[in-house]
Amino acid sequence: MKRYGWTVSSWGIALALTLPVLALIVESLLPAEDIFRHLWASVLPAYIGNTFWLVLLVMGLSLLFGLPAAWLMAMCELPGRRLLQWALILPLAMPSYIVAFVYTDLLDYSGPVQLALRDWFGWQSATDYYFPPIRTLGGAALVMGLVLYPYVYLLGRTAFLEQSTSLVQSSRLLGCSPWQSFRRVSLPLARPAIAVGMSLVAMETLAEFGTVNFFAVNTLTTAVYDTWLGYGSLQAAAKISAIMLLVVMVLLSLERMSRKRQQVFQKSMGHEQETGYRLTGVRKWAALGFCWSLVALGFLLPFVILCYHAVRYFDRAWNARFFEYSLNSLLLSAVVAVLALAMALLLGMTHRLKGKRHTVLPLRLASMGYALPGTVLAIGVLVPLTMMDFAINDLALWLGLPEPGLLLTGTMTAIAFGYLVRFGAMAIGAVESSLNKVSPSLDMVTQTMGYGPAAMIWRVHLPLIRKGMLAGALLVFIECMKELPAALLLRPFNFQTLATYVYQFVSDEQLELGALPAIVIVLVGLIPLIFLNRSLEQHH
Amino acid sequence: MTKTFFLSAAALLASSFTAQAFAEEVNVYSNRQEFLIKPILDTFTQETGIDVNLVFIKDGMGERLEREGRLSPADLVLTVDVSRLMDVVDKDLTQAVQSEVLEANIPAQYRDADGKWFALTTRARAIYSSVERVGKRDDITYEELADPKYKGKICTRSGKHPYNVALTASMIAEHGSEYTKNWLQGLKDNLARKPQGGDRDQVKAIKDGVCDYALGNSYYYGVMLTNDDQRPWAESAYINFPNQGDRGTHVNISAVAMTKHAKNKDAALKLMEFLAGDEAQHLYASANHEYPVKPGVEPSELVNSWGEFKADTLPLTEVAKHAKEAIKLVDEVKYDL
């Protein structure tokens, strides 16, 4: 039994996390009237097109923003680098629907920017000038790119930092220019991490609803919502979700296959010594300008606007409910982050200890929930959990005990489980990519010395992947703070998170009143980011 | 650190159990925002000592109730739109309520014959017109918005928003499916921009000169007029009640219903009767600038100042019947694309 403990428990976790997805797949196999045919004939092709371009554009933009920033921060000496390298993560703490609200408000025809332009130049109407319309696919992609690039940046930078300097030095000694050494050594080594970052971006984009809604861009998520809530067909909605899920799986497998043969291990962790490139002149200013623009557009500008509203409406927003909801959000996010990390470690270590084939499946299965839109996920969570609730109550009745009621779906359990399903992938991805860099020869050495698996994990692996673990847990924490659609459906009575509280105002077009709690979401998100950065710093 | 978190989480869980076990209380699922109804519910608690627990559920209330079945903690549902209400009623998730108070206070067309739902307030789907470029249009109809003479002059939110779906459904009930499809196509062709934003954004667009006419609910006029930042938007537009020459203006409702498996029936009924009473009717309607359903209760002064109008008497259940057909037509003419 002991020998199978690892495998059994990781399969157990994986299956538990797959329950919502399975529920949806079962649902999608039920007949769905003729809604599907009707959708194909009318709007679905356009939605698919929009989704395709949006995901592609957002991925492209995240790479364009995140990768250079990651490399600059990991490899180059720049004035103010210490500040800049964590400022670049800040957009992550900003819920994207708030950034979307701010930018549509700002750049719309009636927004202050166009108003000022009309004032200056004396233009009378929209026909007098051209201004790129913000509520378009391009606008949505730009804003989402600005909010999501930190995934690529964060994982990319960690990967660059974890690379052994001796490799870069060797490549330079062998005659590579900095660019060649980047392209031929650093980039291939960082590719797994960047790939994880990009897939996070892609899945976030695919599952996004609030933001695309602000930009009046109809995607597959719109179709899921419409069919479920408008046409009232969960089956048709589940069918569309299942197709989306399939696409994600195919993309991920393709990506994994493409680097299957690539097995790279590093003998050392981190830089033995500082060998940053020292940028000067134009290069220095270009690098600084690039990085600071990202910070300014993705974080500072929306944050300043939030602060402006928060100050103006402070009296109305500062109350007991606000404190209560802050505490709720903190607790929930912390609990989920810890659980997600524990889960990721178990799954990752099982995969490492037990070889490849049959242990990689639980790892992939457990990550599937991330691609589900929040509302769909919530339904997927409700289906199996209410079934369990009924089983528990029936059992109580049979035993002659009073019915306990909704023990799972009527409490925080449902929402916490939902978050684990949705964000577990982040912890798993982070732990996995860190573990992959630990050479198997270390395992062999440890085993030769007579350590059992537990001791090996505790004394060898955990210290080596500490940064990856922390990064994973913090990403989960921040996402839980911001998450909205699943929280709206899964929270029990008298329980609000900050996100649902803010959303009440935003959905009523009164962001002003929600500005203060929105700032708290951001600030609370900042604290773990600072910790994260300090731990990365201490290594050097 | 972690230990404290776990302990507090456990305490929070435990308190959520105990809170549900004692004291007289009512559990409410609502798709109306907490800050709009909380004051009224607080008044109820002060007067009766009955606690009201509230969950704001914007979407998927029917799904959730259906899944929870007999274990559902909800006693009442509050909805803000007739098709969402009928979704819950049609899934057989509500129960009939017999109450002399409710029957006396709420006119027959605003409640279910069997007592499965009761409307609390009504609002009109108005057509806003630019003060500067159009003026007051008392003679306007929904039908004429599809006339090519309005090309490039109209703004609306998404065609699939429940408020627009209900209007389109009422057009189907009045004119049939084919006429309505052509009407939607005509309306789409007249749009000044792709459907976007909320009802208030359309009035703002009138102020900015993007369009001359906009579809929007009546209460938004009140919301804008009482908000310093938004008053200029409202002042740039007149509110017109369409179809006064024929069937009257399309109205939608907010409503309350008792869930099929309500556990606190007595307390829930008390709350329903309270919501239909003079005090709550006035509070409820004026908090959101709507029209009370109880005859004799005046709307707020502000709402009264917009003048009286004739409301479409078509039963709302009839409207809800055509909701899915309406969404289908919206998709077919690709209204939002």
Side-chain angles (χ1 to χ4, degrees):
Chain A
M1 184 61 219
K2 197 163 180 257
R3 288 180 51 202
Y4 297 107
W6 286 96
T7 321
V8 170
S9 45
S10 73
W11 269 102
I13 289 179
L15 288 180
L17 291 189
T18 322
L19 276 180
V21 179
L22 287 178
L24 280 172
I25 291 173
V26 169
E27 200 73 46
S28 73
L29 295 176
L30 300 173
E33 302 161 43
D34 60 343
I35 292 169
F36 219 59
R37 204 165 351 122
H38 161 75
L39 283 174
W40 264 119
S42 53
V43 286
L44 210 50
Y47 288 179
I48 291 173
N50 280 347
T51 310
F52 176 77
W53 288 115
L54 188 70
V55 171
L56 208 67
L57 270 174
V58 176
M59 280 172 76
L61 285 171
S62 308
L63 196 66
L64 196 69
F65 296 157
L67 189 61
W71 189 80
L72 285 170
M73 287 302 111
M75 300 296 201
C76 299
E77 276 297 312
L78 280 168
R81 193 185 77 161
R82 292 176 69 88
L83 176 66
L84 190 55
Q85 69 183 6
W86 72 268
L88 276 164
I89 323 175
L90 293 180
L92 254 198
M94 193 66 90
S96 57
Y97 54 89
I98 288 179
V99 182
F101 186 96
V102 165
Y103 276 110
T104 47
D105 207 44
L106 211 60
L107 297 176
D108 245 348
Y109 179 76
S110 49
V113 172
Q114 291 203 48
L115 215 61
L117 286 175
R118 286 199 292 273
D119 244 22
W120 282 336
F121 296 100
W123 293 322
Q124 294 303 314
S125 71
T127 48
D128 292 351
Y129 66 103
Y130 174 78
F131 191 87
I134 179 74
R135 293 198 200 230
T136 53
L137 197 125
L142 192 65
V143 165
M144 289 169 81
L146 275 176
V147 181
L148 295 175
Y149 83 84
Y151 288 123
V152 177
Y153 164 73
L154 197 59
L155 292 163
R157 181 173 70 123
T158 314
F160 286 136
L161 284 176
E162 282 177 352
Q163 281 170 13
S164 169
T165 341
S166 53
L167 282 174
V168 179
Q169 283 167 339
S170 314
S171 72
R172 300 280 280 133
L173 280 173
L174 289 169
C176 284
S177 68
W179 169 246
Q180 282 171 323
S181 137
F182 166 75
R183 201 170 56 84
R184 295 170 65 172
V185 178
S186 300
L187 188 60
L189 279 174
R191 203 171 126 199
I194 293 167
V196 171
M198 294 279 281
S199 57
L200 291 180
V201 170
M203 289 196 266
E204 280 280 319
T205 311
L206 207 57
E208 176 62 57
F209 179 69
T211 309
V212 288
N213 201 24
F214 268 119
F215 285 95
V217 176
N218 292 286
T219 64
L220 279 174
T221 347
T222 324
V224 171
Y225 274 65
D226 285 350
T227 41
W228 178 45
L229 300 165
Y231 292 106
S233 172
L234 182 62
Q235 291 81 35
K239 271 196 175 69
I240 300 171
S241 313
I243 294 169
M244 286 165 75
L245 205 61
L246 199 71
V247 171
V248 172
M249 293 292 118
V250 169
L251 285 178
L252 286 182
S253 326
L254 280 180
E255 196 282 326
R256 277 177 196 284
M257 263 160 63
S258 75
R259 56 183 164 84
K260 201 178 168 190
R261 287 165 187 245
Q262 186 191 23
Q263 286 272 18
V264 198
F265 304 103
Q266 289 151 227
K267 291 240 166 55
S268 79
M269 296 300 298
H271 292 202
E272 288 84 0
Q273 63 194 78
E274 207 63 63
T275 53
Y277 299 110
R278 202 168 290 278
L279 295 185
T280 49
V282 183
R283 287 180 178 183
K284 180 176 84 177
W285 292 112
L288 281 176
F290 174 76
C291 293
W292 277 112
S293 319
L294 289 179
V295 179
L297 292 175
F299 182 79
L300 291 177
L301 183 65
F303 190 70
V304 165
I305 289 174
L306 278 183
C307 289
Y308 166 76
H309 287 311
V311 170
R312 277 184 70 198
Y313 291 85
F314 186 78
D315 295 338
R316 286 170 69 184
W318 184 260
N319 53 41
R321 271 182 293 164
F322 158 70
F323 287 109
E324 185 194 331
Y325 303 152
S326 307
L327 189 68
N328 284 349
S329 281
L330 276 174
L331 268 175
L332 182 65
S333 310
V335 168
V336 174
V338 171
L339 290 176
L341 183 60
M343 203 180 73
L345 280 174
L346 183 73
L347 288 169
M349 291 311 304
T350 308
H351 178 46
R352 190 179 180 88
L353 293 175
K354 298 286 166 187
K356 305 281 149 185
R357 284 281 140 76
H358 66 289
T359 51
V360 74
L361 198 56
L363 211 59
R364 301 289 157 262
L365 282 177
S367 309
M368 281 197 330
Y370 193 55
L372 291 178
T375 304
V376 181
L377 167 80
I379 295 304
V381 166
L382 280 178
V383 174
L385 285 196
T386 37
M387 271 162 71
M388 283 185 224
D389 269 331
F390 271 93
I392 294 170
N393 280 271
D394 288 341
L395 182 72
L397 275 183
W398 186 71
L399 291 171
L401 298 167
E403 282 188 301
L406 295 168
L407 280 181
L408 304 174
T409 52
T411 61
M412 265 172 58
T413 318
I415 192 169
F417 177 62
Y419 281 179
L420 267 184
V421 173
R422 178 126 159 73
F423 302 126
M426 302 187 133
I428 293 171
V431 167
E432 194 194 357
S433 78
S434 289
L435 265 181
N436 281 346
K437 286 192 222 83
V438 179
S439 162
S441 56
L442 264 178
D443 297 24
M444 295 168 202
V445 171
T446 327
Q447 275 162 342
T448 326
M449 292 167 73
Y451 282 108
M456 174 172 79
I457 291 165
W458 189 250
R459 305 189 56 168
V460 179
H461 289 133
L462 287 193
L464 284 175
I465 62 167
R466 217 173 47 206
K467 278 183 285 179
M469 281 164 56
L470 195 67
L474 289 177
L475 284 179
V476 175
F477 180 89
I478 297 170
E479 284 305 316
C480 291
M481 287 295 296
K482 295 188 297 182
E483 205 284 338
L484 182 68
L488 278 176
L489 271 161
L490 293 175
R491 71 212 158 99
F493 273 108
N494 302 329
F495 182 90
Q496 290 240 41
T497 65
L498 279 179
T500 60
Y501 187 54
V502 170
Y503 178 70
Q504 286 194 9
F505 295 113
V506 177
S507 71
D508 204 49
E509 300 162 43
Q510 302 193 60
L511 178 75
E512 316 78 80
L513 292 175
L516 186 65
I519 285 176
V520 176
I521 298 183
V522 175
L523 290 183
V524 167
L526 292 188
I527 297 165
L529 287 179
I530 293 166
F531 271 115
L532 175 68
N533 191 61
R534 286 186 72 179
S535 104
L536 290 173
E537 286 282 276
Q538 276 162 11
H539 238 76
H540 311 297
Chain B
M1 185 71 175
T2 338
K3 199 173 166 191
T4 335
F5 272 131
F6 276 123
L7 283 177
S8 331
L12 215 72
L13 266 176
S15 69
S16 73
F17 287 128
T18 47
Q20 279 176 28
F22 309 113
E24 207 179 358
E25 59 177 1
V26 187
N27 295 322
V28 182
Y29 282 179
S30 161
N31 45 45
R32 166 146 289 177
Q33 287 102 325
E34 186 179 320
F35 63 92
L36 279 175
I37 48 170
K38 195 77 179 148
I40 300 147
L41 300 178
D42 286 346
T43 315
F44 174 72
T45 304
Q46 271 164 27
E47 288 180 12
T48 59
I50 300 171
D51 285 329
V52 183
N53 302 313
L54 192 67
V55 182
F56 167 63
I57 300 182
K58 186 164 177 266
D59 299 317
M61 190 191 282
E63 267 314 318
R64 181 160 169 180
L65 279 172
E66 203 173 21
R67 297 279 166 200
E68 290 173 347
R70 71 177 155 87
L71 297 178
S72 176
D75 301 305
L76 293 182
V77 293
L78 283 174
T79 64
V80 290
D81 158 74
V82 68
S83 45
R84 288 186 206 171
L85 169 69
M86 294 316 290
D87 180 46
V88 180
V89 175
D90 291 343
K91 282 180 171 149
D92 195 23
L93 298 167
T94 63
Q95 63 173 297
V97 169
Q98 248 65 54
S99 154
E100 282 171 22
V101 178
L102 290 175
E103 276 157 35
N105 288 6
I106 301 173
Q109 78 259 33
Y110 292 128
R111 59 183 156 85
D112 179 43
D114 297 330
K116 285 191 168 176
W117 58 266
F118 299 86
L120 295 171
T121 56
T122 65
R123 68 286 289 279
R125 195 83 186 136
I127 297 175
Y128 291 91
S129 60
S130 163
V131 169
E132 202 178 297
R133 296 179 297 281
V134 180
K136 186 85 179 148
R137 287 289 312 273
D138 289 322
D139 58 332
I140 202 160
T141 63
Y142 299 115
E143 284 79 357
E144 70 177 274
L145 291 183
D147 191 314
K149 73 178 175 197
Y150 290 110
K151 192 157 186 64
K153 292 194 156 91
I154 300 172
C155 287
T156 77
R157 75 194 304 167
S158 160
K160 278 189 256 186
H161 189 274
Y163 299 154
N164 279 344
V165 169
L167 174 63
T168 306
S170 81
M171 292 293 281
I172 298 176
E174 179 72 20
H175 298 291
S177 195
E178 207 177 302
Y179 176 95
T180 309
K181 187 174 174 182
N182 289 330
W183 175 74
L184 267 178
Q185 185 66 54
L187 183 59
K188 185 197 171 191
D189 294 340
N190 286 344
L191 290 179
R193 62 176 188 191
K194 195 166 80 167
Q196 55 188 258
D199 278 1
R200 261 176 288 178
D201 289 321
Q202 316 312 321
V203 179
K204 191 177 170 195
I206 291 184
K207 179 192 166 271
D208 295 325
V210 177
C211 42
D212 295 347
Y213 296 89
L215 274 171
N217 275 356
S218 54
Y219 59 78
Y220 284 118
Y221 204 42
V223 176
M224 290 185 289
L225 284 168
T226 49
N227 178 314
D228 287 341
D229 292 337
Q230 298 172 4
R231 193 173 304 120
W233 313 352
E235 285 169 347
S236 75
Y238 287 116
I239 182 168
N240 305 291
F241 298 103
N243 296 68
Q244 291 302 296
D246 45 60
R247 67 182 186 281
T249 302
H250 166 67
V251 293
N252 207 328
I253 52 168
S254 75
V256 65
M258 192 182 285
T259 63
K260 193 172 182 187
H261 302 285
K263 291 179 188 59
N264 308 297
K265 274 177 141 175
D266 293 343
L269 183 61
K270 272 184 208 155
L271 179 54
M272 288 173 92
E273 290 177 348
F274 174 81
L275 288 173
D278 287 327
E279 184 190 7
Q281 278 285 297
H282 184 71
L283 265 176
Y284 197 39
S286 53
N288 201 25
H289 313 285
E290 288 173 292
Y291 297 92
V293 291
K294 184 175 183 245
V297 178
E298 282 290 301
S300 72
E301 229 170 88
L302 181 66
V303 174
N304 258 337
S305 71
W306 307 334
E308 289 188 3
F309 69 94
K310 183 169 87 180
D312 192 347
T313 52
L314 178 77
L316 289 166
T317 43
E318 202 56 39
V319 173
K321 260 185 218 160
H322 297 288
K324 275 183 199 169
E325 176 72 26
I327 297 176
K328 236 178 198 176
L329 294 184
V330 171
D331 270 347
E332 273 169 24
V333 305
K334 301 190 168 83
Y335 191 86
D336 287 343
L337 287 173

